[in-house]
Amino acid sequence: MPTASPGAAPVDTVDLPLFVPADRPERLAKAVAAGPDAMIVDLEDAVAPDARDAARAGLAGAFAALATGMPLLLRVNARGTAWHAHDLAAAAALPLAGVVLPKAESGNDILRVAGETGLPVIALIETARGIAALDEIAAAAARLAFGSIDYAADLAIGHTRTALADARARLTLASRLAGLPAPIDGVTASVHDTDLLAADCAHAREMGFAGKLLIHPAQIAPARAAFRPSDGEIDWARRVLEAAPEKGAFMLDGAMVDAPVLARARQILARAPQAETA
């Protein structure tokens, strides 16, 4: 895969990126101050069709005025739209960490975007065709993300955890088989319902996702807390690793601990603040 711009963080560290409309450059500095993992400057759904050309033209100036080391990504318009080719040309000239490709439906889509921009591509899976081609997409992409609202609309199914469980499981499995970081979950549309956001994040984490696409600065802190292991999990993981012999299974708190359990303990500590693994 092509590498990101010099100094840009790799997309595998971007778990909680915040969308910012490309036609609202005054929001960029505010978004940086809010402290997400990264910003996804959006040329697609967040911008009216008749404003997308002007928004794209203003990106270079907006980025030049932005003093930050935060990774910047650009969500371009989908392949087959009138804006796609121009978006890719702009992305190639901007100081980006990566490109987000909506409605990704083939490995060739990913390879062409990566080739034309010289950037890693986060493939946004939003359609039945995207799910059907998931393995080849994962083989070409730098990371997978789930556009759950568009996916539910494409299949005319409910936007519920039950209806979307199969698709989420497929993204997790495809990411693992391709050696990619764990995928990023779709948005929670309710901006100020922190209980719903926390529950959505907990479900995504349970399904093997490492992060979530965010649409408002108010979602950053609750989402970060929800993806962080609990104090109880961290304490358990530390005790497991401290008690582990050099080899073989053993008992702890009346439960068997063997290699898979040790692996889970290490995974928990890897996600903990100031993690220490054994």
Side-chain angles (χ1 to χ4, degrees):
M1 292 294 299
T3 56
S5 299
V11 296
D12 59 2
T13 67
V14 174
D15 292 332
L16 297 172
L18 176 66
F19 279 110
V20 180
D23 61 344
R24 299 297 300 272
E26 74 280 2
R27 294 187 182 179
L28 294 178
K30 293 179 181 178
V32 170
D37 290 351
M39 280 195 297
I40 301 176
V41 182
D42 191 11
L43 281 170
E44 196 212 16
D45 286 349
V47 181
D50 61 0
R52 290 175 186 174
D53 290 334
R56 185 194 316 110
L59 287 178
F63 283 8
L66 193 65
T68 177
M70 179 176 291
L72 302 175
L73 300 103
L74 184 68
R75 178 161 74 169
V76 299
N77 284 278
R79 180 176 178 270
T81 65
W83 308 278
H84 181 70
H86 297 294
D87 290 353
L88 297 188
L94 291 169
L96 298 171
V99 172
V100 178
L101 179 65
K103 297 176 177 63
E105 294 186 337
S106 77
N108 285 336
D109 288 352
I110 308 302
L111 293 173
R112 191 168 62 82
V113 170
E116 293 190 22
T117 64
L119 293 165
V121 179
I122 296 178
L124 192 53
I125 306 301
E126 302 183 279
T127 65
R129 290 184 182 276
I131 288 289
L134 202 48
D135 288 343
E136 68 174 76
I137 291 171
R143 198 161 185 186
L144 302 179
F146 189 28
S148 57
I149 295 176
D150 283 273
Y151 179 76
D154 187 49
L155 272 69
I157 61 176
H159 190 256
T160 65
R161 292 168 196 163
T162 300
L164 299 172
D166 178 67
R168 285 193 168 104
R170 289 178 182 232
L171 263 77
T172 302
L173 180 60
S175 296
R176 181 69 182 90
L177 290 174
L180 298 181
I184 305 170
D185 196 32
V187 304
T188 293
S190 182
V191 169
H192 296 294
D193 189 340
T194 55
D195 289 340
L196 175 61
L197 176 65
D200 284 350
C201 291
H203 176 70
R205 183 181 157 201
E206 182 180 49
M207 294 294 295
F209 285 70
K212 191 168 184 66
L213 301 170
L214 306 177
I215 57 173
H216 193 278
Q219 295 182 321
I220 297 170
R224 185 164 286 141
F227 276 98
R228 185 180 299 131
S230 69
D231 291 344
E233 288 176 306
I234 294 170
D235 177 67
W236 172 84
R238 285 178 174 156
R239 290 194 302 110
V240 165
L241 295 178
E242 287 169 359
E246 292 187 5
K247 60 182 178 179
F250 64 100
M251 299 291 291
L252 181 70
D253 298 338
M256 179 68 71
V257 176
D258 56 8
V261 177
L262 291 172
R264 173 161 175 72
R266 293 189 181 97
Q267 290 167 356
I268 289 171
L269 290 188
R271 296 196 308 268
Q274 299 178 346
E276 293 182 5
T277 58

